[in-house]
Amino acid sequence: MVATLDQRYPPSWAESWDRVGLVLGEPEAPVRRVLCVVDCVPETVAEARQVGADLIVAHHPLLLRGVSSVAPTTYKGRIVHQLIKGDIALFVAHTNADVANPGVSDALAARLGLRDLRPLRPSGAGDHTDGDGRGTGRIGRLPAPMTLAEFTHHAALTLPLTAWGVRAAGRPDRVISTVAVCGGAGDSFLADATAAGVDAYLTADLRHHPVSEHIAGGGPALLDAAHWATERPWLDDLAAHLRDASGVEVVVSDLDTDPWTVHDSLKEPRS
């Protein structure tokens, strides 16, 4: 199973700061059932035990930064102990899955109905991904133009439901035909979206000042969705590949692990 995942998402494609690949478990241990998740958290570990999974494939690394202890008195240490006690292996595909073709942003673009996809920031010659249609984010076109208000509503309907929902920056009546997307935190690619000349850019974790300056500078309209919701669609593609490539049973987690759990928007101010 490790070989199958490494072939699909080679570790060499990951950013130098990233931590991908096998985190826990014996590489040669048999795998009968896999659980695909965005986050390896206590809730998804409990789900893995409930469904009888031998392996969790997660998008976000559990141990991205160095730790000096995995004692059960720490948050991540407790997760490690739960995995070991449950005889559950853990594998991570993160930035190497982001730039893959197809990868995380392809699944997001497909969920939104975008066509004629190409990378937002292509992997160039000599890059660690060696091109071949790979790169960060995707650009595509809608089947038919929508206003920004309509496209925001469309995104809220088609992306996995979260308390965060989808918010947009720009004129509500702006016509949207071409769209850039980036699964996960994508504010570092605002300039790429502007240079690409798209009408809108959908990603997650956008911040006040960069958005304000971007819109004031005449850049594309922006849509900010929940981080988990922009990456959850990829799990379906991952699961389909694992079923086809290895024949194992694969379960996709629909547990909403986005940390934002309450949203209240008042259209009219309180008197």
Side-chain angles (χ1 to χ4, degrees):
M1 183 59 67
V2 170
T4 298
L5 287 160
D6 281 344
Q7 183 177 16
R8 180 75 162 182
Y9 309 111
S12 62
W13 293 357
E15 295 292 337
S16 59
W17 50 263
D18 205 1
R19 297 295 179 267
V20 301
L22 187 66
V23 180
L24 286 172
E26 294 290 341
E28 302 304 323
V31 174
R32 296 171 295 274
R33 184 172 298 157
V34 178
L35 178 68
C36 299
V37 307
V38 174
D39 299 291
C40 183
V41 293
E43 293 80 4
T44 51
V45 174
E47 182 181 18
R49 299 185 73 162
Q50 181 180 10
V51 302
D54 308 294
L55 169 67
I56 292 175
V57 179
H59 184 50
H60 292 144
L62 174 63
L63 304 174
L64 180 59
R65 295 174 178 84
V67 297
S68 58
S69 170
V70 289
T73 53
T74 65
Y75 173 75
K76 293 186 177 181
R78 285 193 296 275
I79 294 174
V80 170
H81 279 255
Q82 289 165 4
L83 290 168
I84 293 173
K85 287 181 178 179
D87 198 19
I88 302 168
L90 173 62
F91 187 97
V92 170
H94 190 213
T95 54
N96 49 336
D98 287 334
V99 300
N101 178 27
V104 173
S105 291
D106 292 281
L108 173 59
R111 181 70 70 96
L112 294 168
L114 301 182
R115 303 173 176 176
D116 303 327
L117 301 182
R118 66 184 191 277
L120 172 60
R121 180 180 287 182
S123 300
D127 189 275
H128 63 297
T129 62
D130 296 324
D132 293 338
R134 295 188 289 269
T136 303
R138 291 295 183 267
I139 295 171
R141 61 179 180 85
L142 290 167
M146 301 181 184
T147 66
L148 176 59
E150 291 169 337
F151 181 57
T152 304
H153 183 63
H154 169 68
L157 287 175
T158 55
L159 292 181
L161 183 64
T162 59
W164 181 266
V166 181
R167 59 182 181 175
R171 295 193 327 273
D173 62 349
R174 179 171 180 167
V175 177
I176 308 299
S177 296
T178 56
V179 178
V181 300
C182 180
D187 65 354
S188 58
F189 305 108
L190 289 172
D192 297 273
T194 299
V198 298
D199 301 312
Y201 175 40
L202 184 149
T203 188
D205 300 345
L206 292 176
R207 296 172 294 155
H208 176 91
H209 293 295
V211 169
S212 178
E213 294 171 11
H214 170 91
I215 295 297
L222 298 176
L223 292 91
D224 185 33
H227 193 122
W228 175 84
T230 64
E231 295 174 330
R232 163 59 185 83
W234 170 69
L235 300 183
D236 294 321
D237 289 0
L238 168 64
H241 173 71
L242 293 178
R243 292 185 190 109
D244 291 343
S246 62
V248 299
E249 183 177 352
V250 185
V251 179
V252 174
S253 174
D254 274 316
L255 283 176
D256 179 359
T257 52
D258 194 74
W260 303 103
T261 57
V262 178
H263 178 85
D264 186 358
S265 178
L266 294 176
K267 292 185 177 181
E268 299 293 336
R270 290 191 177 96
S271 59

